Amino acid sequence: MTLTPPPGTMDAPLLGLDNLSRDALLMVLLQSTEAMLVSDGDNRIVAINPAFCQLTGYTPEEIIGKNPRMFSSGRVAPSVHEAFWLALQNEGRWQGEMLDRRKDGSLYPIWLGVSVLRDPTGKIKNHIARFTDLGERNEARNQLAHLAYHDPLTHLPNRLAFESQFQQSIHSCERDARQVALMLIDLDQFKKVNDTLGHHVGDELLKSVALRLRDCVRASDIVARLGGDEFVVVLPDIESALMVASIAGKVQRSLADTSHNIGTHALYATPSIGISLFPSDGRDTETLLRNADAAMYHAKNAGRNNYQFYAASMNEAAGERLFMENALRQAVSSITPDNSQFSLHFQPQISLASGEIVGLEALARWTHPELGEIPPARFIPIAEETGLIQPLGDWVFWETCRNTRAFRDAGLTGFRLAVNISAQQLRHENLPFTVHGALACYDLLPSDIELEITESTAMQNPDLTISILNHFADMGIVLAIDDFGTGYSSLAYLKHLPIHRLKLDRSFVKDLETDANDAAICSATVALGHNLGLELVAEGVETTAQRDYLAKLGCDIMQGFLYSKPLPAARIVDFLLAYPSPSALN
Ligand code: C2E
Ligand code: MG
Ligand code: MG
C-alpha cells in the first residue's frame, strides 16, 4: 500500500511511511500509549484506539457514532473553542491544553492535537485527534514544586517559600494599613543535642518542634524553617504588640514546658525568640529579618528561653503584660478560703414596675499588694487568655453562693445573685459540677442564681451552647445575655436559646439622650426582647433622664450608678437593709 500524505502534513516518503503496510499502521494505532480518536466530516466518531478507552473509561460501543463534544468538561472558555475551530478551518491543525471529563465524571487536563484530512475537493473527510493525560505530569510537577519550596525534614515551607509568602503578607497588610509580626525562633543549645545524641535524634527533635509551632498559631499564619534550628513564625494582621507577646509566650511554653519524647530521650527545647514588626521595625524582608535576628541575640544574651522585641518600648509593654500575667497566676494559685487578693462587689438591679431590688450582680475585684486595685477590664481578658479564668471563675461562683447564704441568713430575700460566666467556663465540663456542688453546699435553690453570658459567647458554637444552656435552664436557673447589642446576634438563633433576660449594653444607654442611633437601638432592642418574651435590663443607668427614657421604652429592670455602685458584701447588706420598701416608694 502506498500512503499519500494529506496536503500540509509531513513528507511521508522521507520518513519511510510509504514502506508501511496497512497492518503495520494499525499496530501503531493499537499499541500507541497516546489516546487517538478519528471522526468523520460531520464530526461523528468513527474510530478510537485502546489507549483512548483506557484513559476515558468508555467502550467503543458507547461512543462510536457520537460527537466528541460528549467529553467536554464545560469548563473551557468559549474563546478557546473558537480558536480551535478557526485553526482547524484555516490551518488544518490545532494543539493545546483542554479539560475533559471521563465516563466516571472526573475531570482531567489533556494535551490535545487535532488535524483534519480533506478529500480532493477540499471538503473535510476526517478529524484525527490524539491526546495525552496531563494530570500525571502535573502531579510530578507539583511534587517537584513541593520539594523546591519545602524543607524535606519537617515539611514546613523553606526559606525560599517563606520569602515569597512573607512578601505577599507585607504587600496585603501595607495596602490595608495593618501590622505584621515576624518571630525568629532559635532553639537554645541545639548543637549539644546533635553532638551528644547524634543527628538522628536532632532531626526528630526538629520535627517535634515544627509540629508544636504549627499547633500554636492559626492556619493562616506562616511557620517556616529557615535552616538548622532556626524557624520563623509570621503573624499577619496583628492588633497590638501585646497580642504578639502573648503568642510568643505561648510558643515558648509550648516548646519548653513539656518534654519532646524521642526514642528513650525526654528532651526539653527552650527557644530564644526575636520579634520585629512591620512597618515600625522595617518595610522589607531583609530589614525585618535582620532586626528580628538582632532581637533574637538580645534574647540569647538575656539568658535564653525568652522573647525580645526589636523596639525597646515594646519590651517594656510586653514585660508589663508578663508581669500582670505572673501576678495573676500567683494570686489565683494562692487563693485560700480566708485569704484572697480577690473579692466580690455587688450591684443592685431594680424593677421599674415594683421598685424592688430583684437582683444583685456579683463583680470580681482584684487588689494586688503592690499595684493596688486592678479593674476587671484589665485582668479578666488576661485570665481568659491564659486559662486562669477557670479557677478564678470557680472561686467567683463559690464565693457568690457563700455570700448568698449569708444574705439569706440575715433575712435578706426576694432577689437573685447574677454571676458572669466567660466563654471558656461555659464550655468547660466542670461548670455543671461547680454549680450543683456550690448550690448544694450552701443550701441554695437554682432560682437563687442567675448566669450572665455575653452576647458574643452565646453566639459561638451554637449547638453546644444551646445544649449547655438547656441544662441550666432545666435546673431552674435564670439565664441572661450580657452586653447585648455589642455582638452580632442572629435573631433567628436567639429565639432558640433558653434565655430569660437581655441586658442592654451600657454603651447604648450612655448616649441615649443625645445620640439618635443609640436611642433607636435601645428602642428596637426593647421591642425585640419583649416580642421574644424576655425581660429587659438596662446597664449603666446614671441619670434620672436615662431612667425615664428607658422607662418610656418599656425597659423592665435598671442597673447603674443612679441606684448604687457595685459595693463590697458588708456595704451591700447595709444598702439592702436601708432600701425603702416599695410601699414607701409609692
Ligand atoms: P458587666 O458584666 O457588663 O458588668 C457591668 C459593669 O458595668 C461593671 O464593671 C459595673 O461596675 C459597670 N457599671 C455598672 N453601672 C454603671 C454605671 O452606671 N456607669 C458606669 N460607667 N459603669 C457601670 P466592672 O465591675 O468594672 O466589670 C467589667 C466587666 O468585667 C463586667 O462587665 C464583666 O464582663 C467582667 N467581669 C467582672 N467580674 C467578672 C467575673 O467574675 N467573671 C467574668 N467572667 N467576668 C467578670
Ligand atoms: Mg455582667
Ligand atoms: Mg454588661
Side-chain angles (χ1 to χ4, degrees), residues 347 361 364-365 376 396 420 482-483 506 539-540 542 560-561 566:
Q347 189 176 33
E361 179 172 4
R365 295 288 177 265
V396 168
N420 292 285
D482 204 354
D483 304 346
R506 193 170 81 216
E539 295 184 313
E542 293 186 355
F561 295 171

Side-chain angles (χ1 to χ4, degrees), residues 207-274:
K207 281 203 245 177
S208 171
V209 164
L211 284 177
R212 289 195 193 177
L213 283 179
R214 211 33 290 178
D215 274 354
C216 278
V217 294
R218 294 175 303 194
S220 54
D221 299 334
I222 303 168
V223 178
R225 182 179 172 215
L226 296 188
D229 61 342
E230 215 173 55
F231 295 86
V232 279
V233 170
V234 176
L235 309 169
D237 190 18
I238 49 156
E239 277 155 27
S240 67
L242 285 186
M243 177 183 155
V244 184
S246 110
I247 298 172
K250 192 170 153 198
V251 165
Q252 190 190 343
R253 286 193 299 276
S254 146
L255 296 189
D257 279 5
T258 44
S259 63
H260 301 255
N261 297 320
I262 297 174
T264 53
H265 308 285
L267 304 176
Y268 285 85
T270 62
S272 293
I273 305 173

Side-chain angles (χ1 to χ4, degrees), residues 344-345 347 361-365 375-381 384 389 392-393 395-397 400 419-423 425 452 454 482-483 503 505-506 510 539-543 546 559-566:
L344 289 185
H345 280 196
Q347 189 176 33
E361 179 172 4
L363 294 156
R365 295 288 177 265
R378 272 190 81 193
F379 72 84
I380 295 285
E384 284 173 340
I389 193 69
L392 180 59
W395 177 84
V396 168
F397 195 86
T400 304
V419 185
N420 292 285
I421 302 289
S422 78
Q425 271 177 287
E452 289 190 7
T454 61
D482 204 354
D483 304 346
K503 295 190 76 180
D505 191 62
R506 193 170 81 216
K510 194 164 138 265
E539 295 184 313
V541 183
E542 293 186 355
T543 65
Q546 286 167 345
Q559 178 180 349
F561 295 171
L562 177 65
Y563 299 92
S564 169
K565 291 200 166 180

